[in-house]
Amino acid sequence: MIAVESGHPKGTVGVAQGELARYTDFDISLDSLYVPVGTTITRVKGPSVSRNRNTLALEYFQGEWLFFVDDDQVLRRDTLLRLLAHNVDIVGALYSTKHPPFIPTVFKDELEPGKLYRHAFWSALGASRGLTPCVAVGTGAMLVRRRVFETIPKPWFHWGQGESDDVFFCRKAREHGFKIHVDTNAVVGHASTNVIWPDLDDPPGVAIQMNWLAVKLPNDDDEAAAEHVFDQTLGREGEPQ
């Protein structure tokens, strides 16, 4: 991390790691991340990423905010400063699922409480550039203010009953009066064998970075895609609790 005089208060960058080693691109991007002076970084490793997030918030939180980042994300240097500049309680960066059909990890509305959410389309996100309200956003790159954790009862994150820890947290936050946002200008890569980047330039979709080669895959939000309902796993498999 690179400490900068930004005018923002200090906080904590919390990395929730799985048990297996992940991606070199993540470590390189974390080393280059701009953070306010005094910011700390903590890594918690274990088989349950949701338990790791709870531990980060409960035991290692220092300062006024906690920036959650997963160890398969690829950050741009200004990602955190962009999110801090909005001065809101909960805001996530924009990233895609890392497996096809490469869906935004952003939900625009709730079809059935606690069960089904409808994901946002790339075209709509491209049309609302900047800070955008939503009902849930992925926790792989999410900034949360301290008062959220002081208001919401524990557990803050839980994976179970068809609900991912991301959506569980966002639902609980909304039930306690907090608003959820995504910054569509703060784009983050999602790494597997390739790195998947949101690309909201016309036509909006994703760009797949494969070492020296980058391929753009536009998402036209056709009729078939419009009928697609994405559940709360945010495109990921469940994890042990």
Side-chain angles (χ1 to χ4, degrees), residues 117-167:
Y117 286 63
R118 183 158 37 206
H119 71 86
F121 293 130
W122 291 116
S123 58
L125 294 170
S128 61
R129 300 299 289 268
L131 190 66
T132 303
C134 57
V135 300
V137 65
T139 325
M142 177 192 280
L143 178 71
V144 185
R145 294 283 179 176
R146 174 174 289 278
R147 76 187 193 100
V148 177
F149 296 107
E150 293 173 341
T151 303
I152 301 174
K154 300 185 288 290
W156 300 298
F157 301 94
H158 175 71
W159 195 304
Q161 298 181 341
E163 190 173 49
S164 70
D165 60 349
D166 316 71
V167 174

Side-chain angles (χ1 to χ4, degrees), residues 189-210:
H190 205 169
S192 56
T193 53
N194 307 306
V195 180
I196 311 301
W197 289 92
D199 187 341
L200 298 185
D201 291 335
D202 191 31
V206 297
I208 302 179
Q209 179 184 349
M210 298 173 283

Side-chain angles (χ1 to χ4, degrees), residues 61-216:
F61 191 173
Q62 301 179 42
E64 294 302 315
W65 48 264
L66 177 55
F67 179 47
F68 287 108
V69 57
D70 289 350
D71 59 354
D72 59 354
Q73 310 292 154
V74 183
L75 308 168
R76 290 181 173 170
R77 289 187 172 189
D78 65 348
T79 299
L80 176 57
L81 297 187
R82 279 183 177 273
L83 300 182
L84 283 168
H86 296 299
N87 196 28
V88 295
D89 292 312
I90 304 170
V91 56
L94 177 63
Y95 63 95
S96 167
T97 58
K98 62 184 178 182
H99 302 298
F102 304 125
I103 298 169
T105 57
V106 180
F107 293 93
K108 62 181 182 178
D109 56 22
E110 190 174 16
L111 296 180
E112 187 176 348
K115 292 185 179 181
L116 290 176
Y117 286 63
R118 183 158 37 206
H119 71 86
F121 293 130
W122 291 116
S123 58
L125 294 170
S128 61
R129 300 299 289 268
L131 190 66
T132 303
C134 57
V135 300
V137 65
T139 325
M142 177 192 280
L143 178 71
V144 185
R145 294 283 179 176
R146 174 174 289 278
R147 76 187 193 100
V148 177
F149 296 107
E150 293 173 341
T151 303
I152 301 174
K154 300 185 288 290
W156 300 298
F157 301 94
H158 175 71
W159 195 304
Q161 298 181 341
E163 190 173 49
S164 70
D165 60 349
D166 316 71
V167 174
F168 178 89
F169 173 77
C170 290
R171 175 178 58 80
K172 208 167 182 179
R174 287 188 292 110
E175 289 172 353
H176 286 78
F178 293 102
K179 296 181 179 179
I180 314 298
H181 302 85
V182 60
D183 182 354
T184 61
N185 290 326
V187 298
V188 170
H190 205 169
S192 56
T193 53
N194 307 306
V195 180
I196 311 301
W197 289 92
D199 187 341
L200 298 185
D201 291 335
D202 191 31
V206 297
I208 302 179
Q209 179 184 349
M210 298 173 283
N211 293 327
W212 53 270
L213 178 65
V215 177
K216 175 73 177 287

